[in-house]
Amino acid sequence: LIVRAAACWPERIALTFGERHLGYADVQAQMQCCAAGLLAVGLTYGARVAVFLEKRIEAVVASFAVPAAGGVLVPVNPLLKATQVAHVLQDAQAEVLVTSAVRLAALMPLLADCAALRYVVLCDDVVPSTLQNLPAGLGLHTWLEVLAHQPGALPTRLETDVAVIFYTSGSTGKPKGVV
């Protein structure tokens, strides 16, 4: 969708966040760089990528970049509590978490229980010193590091591939994933 929109209306505003505006061509460029960056840091075909962010540009870009890179998007409701988010990460077997420093700090005590989690992409300009002590084996990359990669060839997707796993709100129990 983004590639087609960028071809048709490259300068038309696609996203607005505060005073920041991005055209479709800008969103496409960021999406392609993000997909290349995810692949460069080790995203494998079919790996689950949880996006736990409030409404912001990075959330939209990641939502398009993850499937473009061959991953499975797992959008996490930004209103969930840390224990619910940890359940989603565990249940989806998320290997990557895209989030902010504040949200990551709330999850820190629970990350060791997320066995499949391999690395975190932090969407902040500076990594707080309190986040330097991630569980062993868990890598940390910044959004700018991921976006710094040059776009390249992306995996071919099939129409039968899983693109997204949505989770229910968990109002009557633990959230459940829907492919």
Side-chain angles (χ1 to χ4, degrees), residues 47-48 88-97 111-119 137-138:
R48 275 71 167 152
V88 170
L89 295 175
Q90 293 164 357
D91 188 65
Q93 297 181 350
E95 293 182 22
V96 181
L97 172 62
L111 290 179
D113 296 331
C114 301
L117 197 60
R118 293 179 31 224
Y119 59 92
L138 188 57

Side-chain angles (χ1 to χ4, degrees), residues 2-137:
I2 292 298
V3 172
R4 180 164 162 58
C8 293
W9 315 288
E11 301 303 318
R12 191 176 290 176
I13 293 178
L15 295 174
T16 298
F17 183 71
E19 297 297 317
R20 196 168 162 208
H21 306 285
L22 290 180
Y24 284 104
D26 296 326
V27 174
Q28 176 190 4
Q30 282 197 24
M31 181 268 298
Q32 290 175 323
C33 289
C34 182
L38 289 170
L39 290 169
V41 298
L43 183 70
T44 58
Y45 197 81
R48 275 71 167 152
V49 180
V51 177
F52 182 45
L53 290 168
E54 65 280 6
K55 293 179 183 177
R56 57 193 277 178
I57 288 173
E58 294 89 341
V60 176
V61 171
S63 295
F64 284 102
V66 169
V72 177
L73 174 66
V74 181
V76 181
N77 183 339
L79 300 178
L80 292 181
K81 293 176 175 38
T83 55
Q84 293 170 304
V85 174
H87 166 74
V88 170
L89 295 175
Q90 293 164 357
D91 188 65
Q93 297 181 350
E95 293 182 22
V96 181
L97 172 62
V98 179
T99 194
S100 66
V102 170
R103 291 173 187 280
L104 182 59
L107 290 172
M108 286 290 280
L110 305 168
L111 290 179
D113 296 331
C114 301
L117 197 60
R118 293 179 31 224
Y119 59 92
V120 174
V121 176
L122 200 62
C123 296
D124 293 278
D125 294 336
V126 177
V127 178
S129 59
T130 56
L131 298 180
Q132 299 293 335
N133 297 322
L134 291 173

